[in-house]
Coordinates of all heavy atoms in Angstrom, one line a residue:
M1346 N 77.1 0.7 -11.7 CA 76.2 -0.2 -10.9 C 76.4 -1.6 -11.5 O 76.2 -1.9 -12.6 CB 74.8 0.2 -11.0 CG 73.9 -0.6 -10.1 SD 74.2 -0.3 -8.4 CE 73.6 1.4 -8.1
A1347 N 76.8 -2.5 -10.6 CA 77.0 -3.9 -11.1 C 75.7 -4.6 -11.3 O 74.8 -4.5 -10.5 CB 77.9 -4.6 -10.0
A1348 N 75.7 -5.4 -12.3 CA 74.5 -6.2 -12.6 C 74.5 -7.4 -11.7 O 75.5 -7.9 -11.3 CB 74.5 -6.7 -14.0
V1349 N 73.3 -7.8 -11.3 CA 73.2 -9.0 -10.4 C 72.7 -10.2 -11.2 O 71.6 -10.1 -11.8 CB 72.2 -8.7 -9.3 CG1 72.0 -9.9 -8.4 CG2 72.8 -7.5 -8.4
A1350 N 73.5 -11.2 -11.3 CA 73.1 -12.4 -12.0 C 72.6 -13.4 -11.0 O 72.9 -13.4 -9.8 CB 74.2 -13.0 -12.8
E1351 N 71.8 -14.3 -11.5 CA 71.2 -15.3 -10.6 C 71.9 -16.7 -10.9 O 71.8 -17.1 -12.1 CB 69.7 -15.4 -10.8 CG 69.0 -16.1 -9.6 CD 67.5 -15.9 -9.6 OE1 66.8 -16.7 -10.3 OE2 67.1 -14.9 -9.0
V1352 N 72.4 -17.3 -9.9 CA 73.1 -18.5 -10.1 C 72.4 -19.6 -9.3 O 72.3 -19.4 -8.1 CB 74.6 -18.4 -9.7 CG1 75.3 -19.8 -9.9 CG2 75.3 -17.4 -10.5
L1353 N 72.0 -20.6 -9.9 CA 71.4 -21.7 -9.1 C 72.4 -22.7 -8.7 O 73.2 -23.3 -9.5 CB 70.4 -22.4 -10.0 CG 69.6 -23.5 -9.3 CD1 68.8 -22.9 -8.2 CD2 68.6 -24.2 -10.3
S1354 N 72.6 -22.8 -7.4 CA 73.6 -23.7 -6.8 C 73.2 -25.1 -7.0 O 72.1 -25.5 -6.7 CB 73.8 -23.3 -5.3 OG 74.7 -24.2 -4.8
T1355 N 74.2 -25.9 -7.3 CA 74.0 -27.4 -7.4 C 74.9 -28.1 -6.5 O 75.2 -29.3 -6.8 CB 74.2 -27.8 -8.9 OG1 75.5 -27.4 -9.3 CG2 73.1 -27.2 -9.8
V1356 N 75.3 -27.5 -5.5 CA 76.3 -28.1 -4.6 C 75.6 -28.7 -3.3 O 76.3 -29.0 -2.4 CB 77.4 -27.1 -4.2 CG1 78.2 -26.7 -5.4 CG2 76.8 -25.9 -3.5
A1357 N 74.3 -28.7 -3.3 CA 73.6 -29.1 -2.1 C 73.9 -30.6 -1.7 O 73.9 -30.9 -0.5 CB 72.1 -29.0 -2.3
S1358 N 74.3 -31.4 -2.7 CA 74.5 -32.8 -2.3 C 75.9 -33.1 -2.0 O 76.3 -34.2 -1.6 CB 74.1 -33.7 -3.5 OG 74.9 -33.4 -4.6
R1359 N 76.8 -32.1 -2.1 CA 78.2 -32.3 -1.7 C 78.4 -32.2 -0.2 O 78.1 -31.2 0.4 CB 79.1 -31.2 -2.4 CG 80.6 -31.5 -2.2 CD 81.4 -30.5 -3.0 NE 81.2 -29.1 -2.5 CZ 81.7 -28.1 -3.0 NH1 82.4 -28.2 -4.1 NH2 81.4 -26.9 -2.5
P1360 N 78.8 -33.3 0.4 CA 79.0 -33.3 1.8 C 80.2 -32.4 2.2 O 81.3 -32.5 1.6 CB 79.3 -34.8 2.2 CG 79.8 -35.3 0.9 CD 79.2 -34.6 -0.2
D1361 N 80.0 -31.6 3.2 CA 81.1 -30.8 3.7 C 80.9 -30.8 5.3 O 80.0 -30.2 5.8 CB 80.9 -29.4 3.2 CG 82.2 -28.5 3.6 OD1 82.8 -28.9 4.6 OD2 82.5 -27.6 2.8
P1362 N 81.8 -31.5 5.9 CA 81.7 -31.6 7.4 C 81.7 -30.3 8.2 O 81.2 -30.2 9.2 CB 82.9 -32.5 7.8 CG 83.9 -32.4 6.7 CD 83.0 -32.1 5.4
R1363 N 82.3 -29.3 7.6 CA 82.4 -28.0 8.3 C 81.2 -27.1 8.0 O 81.0 -26.1 8.6 CB 83.7 -27.3 7.9 CG 84.9 -27.9 8.4 CD 86.2 -27.5 7.6 NE 86.0 -27.8 6.2 CZ 87.0 -27.6 5.3 NH1 88.1 -27.0 5.6 NH2 86.8 -27.9 4.1
G1364 N 80.4 -27.5 7.0 CA 79.3 -26.7 6.7 C 79.7 -25.4 6.1 O 78.9 -24.4 6.1
C1365 N 80.9 -25.3 5.6 CA 81.4 -24.0 5.0 C 81.4 -24.2 3.5 O 82.2 -24.9 2.9 CB 82.8 -23.8 5.5 SG 83.5 -22.2 5.0
D1366 N 80.5 -23.5 2.9 CA 80.3 -23.7 1.4 C 80.3 -22.3 0.8 O 79.3 -21.8 0.3 CB 79.0 -24.4 1.2 CG 78.9 -24.8 -0.3 OD1 79.9 -24.9 -0.9 OD2 77.8 -25.1 -0.7
L1367 N 81.5 -21.7 0.8 CA 81.6 -20.3 0.3 C 81.8 -20.4 -1.2 O 82.7 -21.1 -1.7 CB 82.7 -19.6 1.0 CG 82.5 -19.3 2.5 CD1 83.7 -18.7 3.1 CD2 81.2 -18.5 2.7
P1368 N 81.1 -19.6 -2.0 CA 81.3 -19.6 -3.4 C 82.5 -18.8 -3.9 O 83.1 -18.0 -3.1 CB 80.0 -19.0 -4.0 CG 79.6 -18.0 -2.9 CD 80.0 -18.7 -1.6
T1369 N 82.9 -18.9 -5.1 CA 83.9 -18.1 -5.7 C 83.3 -17.2 -6.8 O 82.3 -17.6 -7.4 CB 85.0 -18.9 -6.3 OG1 84.5 -19.8 -7.2 CG2 85.8 -19.7 -5.2
C1370 N 83.9 -16.1 -7.0 CA 83.4 -15.2 -8.1 C 83.5 -15.8 -9.4 O 84.6 -16.3 -9.8 CB 84.2 -13.9 -8.0 SG 83.7 -12.7 -9.3
P1371 N 82.4 -15.8 -10.2 CA 82.5 -16.4 -11.6 C 83.3 -15.5 -12.5 O 83.6 -16.0 -13.6 CB 81.0 -16.5 -11.9 CG 80.3 -15.5 -11.1 CD 81.1 -15.4 -9.8
V1372 N 83.6 -14.3 -12.2 CA 84.3 -13.4 -13.1 C 85.8 -13.5 -12.8 O 86.6 -13.8 -13.7 CB 83.8 -12.0 -12.9 CG1 84.7 -11.0 -13.7 CG2 82.4 -11.9 -13.3
C1373 N 86.2 -13.4 -11.6 CA 87.7 -13.3 -11.2 C 88.1 -14.5 -10.3 O 89.3 -14.5 -10.0 CB 88.0 -12.0 -10.6 SG 87.3 -11.7 -9.0
A1374 N 87.2 -15.3 -10.0 CA 87.5 -16.5 -9.2 C 88.0 -16.2 -7.8 O 88.6 -17.0 -7.1 CB 88.5 -17.4 -9.9
D1375 N 87.7 -15.0 -7.3 CA 88.1 -14.7 -6.0 C 87.1 -15.3 -5.0 O 86.0 -15.5 -5.3 CB 88.1 -13.1 -5.8 CG 88.8 -12.7 -4.6 OD1 89.5 -13.5 -4.0 OD2 88.7 -11.5 -4.2
S1376 N 87.6 -15.6 -3.8 CA 86.8 -16.3 -2.8 C 85.9 -15.3 -2.1 O 86.3 -14.2 -1.7 CB 87.6 -17.0 -1.8 OG 88.4 -18.0 -2.4
M1377 N 84.6 -15.6 -2.0 CA 83.7 -14.8 -1.3 C 83.9 -15.0 0.2 O 84.0 -16.1 0.7 CB 82.2 -15.1 -1.6 CG 81.9 -14.9 -3.1 SD 82.0 -13.2 -3.7 CE 83.5 -13.2 -4.6
V1378 N 83.8 -13.9 1.0 CA 84.1 -14.1 2.4 C 82.7 -14.1 3.2 O 82.5 -15.0 4.0 CB 84.9 -12.9 2.9 CG1 85.1 -13.0 4.4 CG2 86.3 -12.9 2.2
A1379 N 81.9 -13.2 2.9 CA 80.6 -13.1 3.6 C 79.5 -12.6 2.7 O 79.8 -11.8 1.8 CB 80.7 -12.2 4.8
A1380 N 78.3 -13.2 2.8 CA 77.2 -12.8 2.0 C 76.8 -11.4 2.4 O 76.8 -11.0 3.6 CB 76.1 -13.8 2.1
E1381 N 76.4 -10.6 1.4 CA 75.8 -9.2 1.7 C 74.5 -9.3 2.4 O 74.2 -8.5 3.2 CB 75.7 -8.5 0.4 CG 77.0 -8.2 -0.3 CD 77.6 -6.9 0.1 OE1 76.9 -5.9 0.3 OE2 78.8 -6.8 0.3
A1382 N 73.7 -10.3 1.9 CA 72.4 -10.4 2.4 C 71.9 -11.9 2.2 O 72.4 -12.6 1.4 CB 71.4 -9.5 1.8
S1383 N 70.9 -12.2 3.0 CA 70.3 -13.6 2.8 C 68.8 -13.5 3.0 O 68.3 -12.6 3.6 CB 70.9 -14.6 3.8 OG 70.5 -14.2 5.1
A1384 N 68.1 -14.4 2.3 CA 66.6 -14.3 2.4 C 66.1 -15.7 2.2 O 66.6 -16.5 1.3 CB 66.0 -13.4 1.4
Y1385 N 65.0 -16.1 2.9 CA 64.4 -17.3 2.7 C 63.3 -17.2 1.6 O 62.4 -16.3 1.7 CB 63.7 -17.8 4.0 CG 64.6 -18.5 4.9 CD1 65.2 -17.9 6.0 CD2 64.9 -19.9 4.7 CE1 66.1 -18.5 6.8 CE2 65.7 -20.6 5.6 CZ 66.3 -19.9 6.6 OH 67.2 -20.5 7.5
L1386 N 63.5 -18.0 0.5 CA 62.6 -17.9 -0.6 C 61.3 -18.8 -0.3 O 60.2 -18.4 -0.5 CB 63.2 -18.4 -1.9 CG 64.5 -17.6 -2.3 CD1 65.0 -18.2 -3.6 CD2 64.1 -16.1 -2.5
Q1387 N 61.6 -19.9 0.2 CA 60.6 -20.9 0.6 C 61.0 -21.5 2.0 O 61.9 -21.0 2.6 CB 60.4 -22.0 -0.4 CG 60.0 -21.5 -1.8 CD 60.1 -22.6 -2.9 OE1 60.2 -23.8 -2.5 NE2 60.2 -22.2 -4.1
D1388 N 60.3 -22.5 2.4 CA 60.5 -23.0 3.7 C 61.9 -23.6 3.8 O 62.5 -23.6 4.8 CB 59.5 -24.1 4.0 CG 59.6 -24.7 5.4 OD1 59.9 -23.9 6.3 OD2 59.5 -25.9 5.5
S1389 N 62.4 -24.2 2.7 CA 63.7 -24.9 2.7 C 64.7 -24.4 1.7 O 65.7 -25.1 1.5 CB 63.4 -26.4 2.5 OG 62.8 -26.6 1.2
I1390 N 64.4 -23.2 1.2 CA 65.4 -22.7 0.2 C 65.8 -21.3 0.7 O 64.9 -20.4 0.9 CB 64.7 -22.6 -1.2 CG1 64.4 -24.0 -1.7 CG2 65.7 -21.9 -2.2 CD1 63.9 -24.0 -3.1
I1391 N 67.1 -21.1 0.8 CA 67.6 -19.8 1.2 C 68.5 -19.2 0.1 O 69.2 -20.0 -0.6 CB 68.4 -19.9 2.5 CG1 68.7 -18.5 3.1 CG2 69.6 -20.8 2.4 CD1 69.3 -18.6 4.5
S1392 N 68.4 -17.9 -0.1 CA 69.3 -17.3 -1.2 C 70.2 -16.3 -0.5 O 69.9 -15.7 0.5 CB 68.4 -16.6 -2.2 OG 67.8 -15.5 -1.6
Y1393 N 71.4 -16.3 -1.1 CA 72.4 -15.4 -0.6 C 72.8 -14.4 -1.7 O 73.0 -14.8 -2.8 CB 73.7 -16.1 -0.1 CG 73.4 -17.0 1.1 CD1 73.2 -18.3 1.0 CD2 73.5 -16.4 2.4 CE1 73.0 -19.1 2.1 CE2 73.3 -17.2 3.5 CZ 73.1 -18.5 3.4 OH 72.9 -19.3 4.5
L1394 N 73.0 -13.1 -1.3 CA 73.5 -12.1 -2.2 C 75.0 -11.9 -1.9 O 75.4 -11.6 -0.8 CB 72.7 -10.8 -2.0 CG 73.3 -9.6 -2.8 CD1 73.2 -9.8 -4.3 CD2 72.5 -8.3 -2.4
W1395 N 75.8 -12.1 -3.0 CA 77.2 -11.9 -2.8 C 77.7 -10.8 -3.7 O 77.2 -10.6 -4.8 CB 78.0 -13.2 -3.3 CG 77.5 -14.4 -2.6 CD1 76.4 -15.2 -3.0 CD2 78.0 -15.0 -1.4 NE1 76.3 -16.3 -2.1 CE2 77.2 -16.2 -1.1 CE3 79.0 -14.7 -0.5 CZ2 77.4 -17.0 -0.1 CZ3 79.3 -15.5 0.6 CH2 78.5 -16.7 0.8
T1396 N 78.7 -10.0 -3.2 CA 79.3 -9.0 -4.0 C 80.8 -9.2 -3.9 O 81.4 -9.2 -2.8 CB 78.9 -7.6 -3.5 OG1 77.5 -7.5 -3.6 CG2 79.5 -6.5 -4.4
C1397 N 81.5 -9.3 -5.1 CA 82.9 -9.5 -5.1 C 83.6 -8.2 -4.8 O 83.4 -7.2 -5.4 CB 83.3 -10.0 -6.5 SG 85.1 -10.3 -6.6
D1398 N 84.5 -8.3 -3.8 CA 85.3 -7.1 -3.4 C 86.3 -6.7 -4.5 O 86.8 -5.6 -4.6 CB 86.0 -7.3 -2.1 CG 85.1 -7.3 -0.9 OD1 84.0 -6.7 -1.0 OD2 85.4 -7.9 0.1
T1399 N 86.7 -7.7 -5.3 CA 87.8 -7.5 -6.2 C 87.3 -6.8 -7.5 O 87.8 -5.8 -8.0 CB 88.5 -8.8 -6.6 OG1 88.9 -9.4 -5.4 CG2 89.6 -8.6 -7.5
C1400 N 86.2 -7.4 -8.1 CA 85.7 -6.8 -9.3 C 84.3 -6.2 -9.2 O 83.9 -5.6 -10.2 CB 85.7 -7.9 -10.4 SG 84.5 -9.2 -10.2
G1401 N 83.7 -6.3 -8.1 CA 82.4 -5.7 -7.9 C 81.2 -6.5 -8.5 O 80.1 -6.0 -8.5
Y1402 N 81.5 -7.7 -9.0 CA 80.4 -8.5 -9.5 C 79.5 -9.0 -8.5 O 79.9 -9.4 -7.4 CB 81.0 -9.7 -10.3 CG 80.0 -10.5 -11.0 CD1 79.5 -10.1 -12.2 CD2 79.6 -11.8 -10.5 CE1 78.6 -10.9 -12.9 CE2 78.7 -12.5 -11.2 CZ 78.2 -12.1 -12.4 OH 77.3 -12.9 -13.0
G1403 N 78.2 -8.9 -8.7 CA 77.2 -9.3 -7.7 C 76.4 -10.5 -8.3 O 76.1 -10.5 -9.5
F1404 N 76.2 -11.5 -7.4 CA 75.4 -12.6 -7.9 C 74.7 -13.2 -6.7 O 75.0 -13.0 -5.5 CB 76.3 -13.7 -8.6 CG 77.4 -14.2 -7.7 CD1 77.2 -15.5 -7.1 CD2 78.5 -13.5 -7.5 CE1 78.2 -16.0 -6.3 CE2 79.5 -14.1 -6.7 CZ 79.4 -15.3 -6.1
V1405 N 73.7 -14.1 -7.0 CA 72.8 -14.7 -6.0 C 73.0 -16.2 -6.1 O 72.9 -16.7 -7.2 CB 71.4 -14.2 -6.2 CG1 70.4 -15.0 -5.2 CG2 71.2 -12.7 -6.0
T1406 N 73.1 -16.8 -4.9 CA 73.1 -18.3 -4.9 C 71.9 -18.7 -4.1 O 71.4 -18.1 -3.2 CB 74.4 -18.8 -4.3 OG1 74.5 -18.4 -2.9 CG2 75.6 -18.5 -5.1
K1407 N 71.4 -19.9 -4.5 CA 70.3 -20.5 -3.8 C 70.7 -21.8 -3.2 O 71.4 -22.6 -3.9 CB 69.1 -20.7 -4.7 CG 68.5 -19.3 -5.2 CD 67.4 -19.6 -6.2 CE 66.8 -18.3 -6.7 NZ 65.8 -18.5 -7.7
H1408 N 70.3 -22.1 -2.0 CA 70.7 -23.3 -1.4 C 69.4 -24.0 -0.7 O 68.6 -23.3 -0.1 CB 71.7 -23.1 -0.3 CG 73.0 -22.4 -0.8 ND1 74.1 -23.1 -1.3 CD2 73.2 -21.1 -1.0 CE1 75.0 -22.2 -1.7 NE2 74.5 -21.0 -1.5
S1409 N 69.4 -25.3 -0.9 CA 68.3 -26.0 -0.2 C 68.8 -26.3 1.2 O 69.9 -26.9 1.4 CB 67.9 -27.2 -0.9 OG 69.0 -28.1 -1.1
V1410 N 68.0 -26.0 2.2 CA 68.3 -26.2 3.6 C 67.6 -27.5 4.0 O 66.4 -27.5 4.1 CB 68.0 -25.0 4.5 CG1 68.4 -25.3 5.9 CG2 68.6 -23.8 3.9
K1411 N 68.3 -28.5 4.3 CA 67.7 -29.7 4.7 C 67.7 -29.8 6.2 O 68.7 -29.6 6.9 CB 68.5 -30.9 4.1 CG 68.3 -31.0 2.6 CD 69.2 -32.1 2.1 CE 69.0 -32.2 0.5 NZ 69.9 -33.2 -0.1
R1412 N 66.6 -30.1 6.7 CA 66.5 -30.3 8.2 C 67.2 -31.6 8.6 O 67.2 -32.6 7.9 CB 65.0 -30.4 8.6 CG 64.3 -29.1 8.4 CD 63.0 -29.1 9.1 NE 62.3 -27.8 9.0 CZ 61.4 -27.6 8.0 NH1 61.1 -28.6 7.1 NH2 60.8 -26.5 7.9
F1413 N 67.8 -31.5 9.8 CA 68.5 -32.7 10.3 C 67.5 -33.7 10.8 O 66.6 -33.3 11.6 CB 69.4 -32.3 11.4 CG 70.6 -31.5 11.0 CD1 70.7 -30.1 11.1 CD2 71.7 -32.2 10.4 CE1 71.8 -29.4 10.7 CE2 72.8 -31.5 9.9 CZ 72.9 -30.1 10.1
A1414 N 67.6 -34.9 10.3 CA 66.7 -35.9 10.8 C 67.3 -36.9 11.8 O 68.4 -37.4 11.5 CB 66.2 -36.7 9.5
C1415 N 66.7 -37.1 12.8 CA 67.2 -38.0 13.8 C 66.5 -39.4 13.6 O 65.3 -39.5 13.7 CB 66.9 -37.5 15.2 SG 67.8 -36.0 15.6
N1416 N 67.3 -40.4 13.4 CA 66.7 -41.7 13.2 C 67.4 -42.8 13.9 O 68.3 -42.5 14.8 CB 66.6 -42.0 11.7 CG 67.9 -41.9 11.0 OD1 68.9 -41.6 11.6 ND2 68.0 -42.2 9.7
Ligands
ZN1941 ZN1 85.2 -11.0 -8.8

C-alpha cells in the first residue's frame, strides 16, 4: 500500500495560458496524466489526489482557485 504524502502546491502564481498544470511524480519524475480524485477543501482551495502509474507513489496537491474578475 503506497503512502500518501501531502504536497502544498506553490505554483498558483505561475501564469499558464492553457490552464494545464499537471504535476510530476516527486519520486520518479514521471508526468501525471489525470488526478485520481479531487475535493474542495474550502471555497477557493481544491485538492487533487495523484497516483503515479510508474512507481505507485501517491500524493496530494492543493491549488487555490481564483475566480475570474471582470473589470
Ligand atoms: Zn513515480
Side-chain angles (χ1 to χ4, degrees):
M1346 188 64 73
V1349 176
E1351 197 167 88
V1352 178
L1353 183 62
S1354 176
T1355 56
V1356 296
S1358 62
R1359 187 177 62 187
D1361 190 333
R1363 289 162 300 184
C1365 184
D1366 191 19
L1367 296 175
T1369 55
C1370 177
V1372 175
C1373 68
D1375 195 13
S1376 298
M1377 301 292 107
V1378 178
E1381 294 270 320
S1383 63
Y1385 276 98
L1386 302 181
Q1387 299 170 16
D1388 184 43
S1389 60
I1390 297 182
I1391 187 169
S1392 69
Y1393 292 100
L1394 172 63
W1395 307 87
T1396 303
C1397 181
D1398 287 335
T1399 303
C1400 70
Y1402 184 78
F1404 61 100
V1405 173
T1406 59
K1407 294 178 182 178
H1408 304 266
S1409 60
V1410 181
K1411 295 177 181 174
R1412 291 192 179 92
F1413 290 103
C1415 296
N1416 54 359

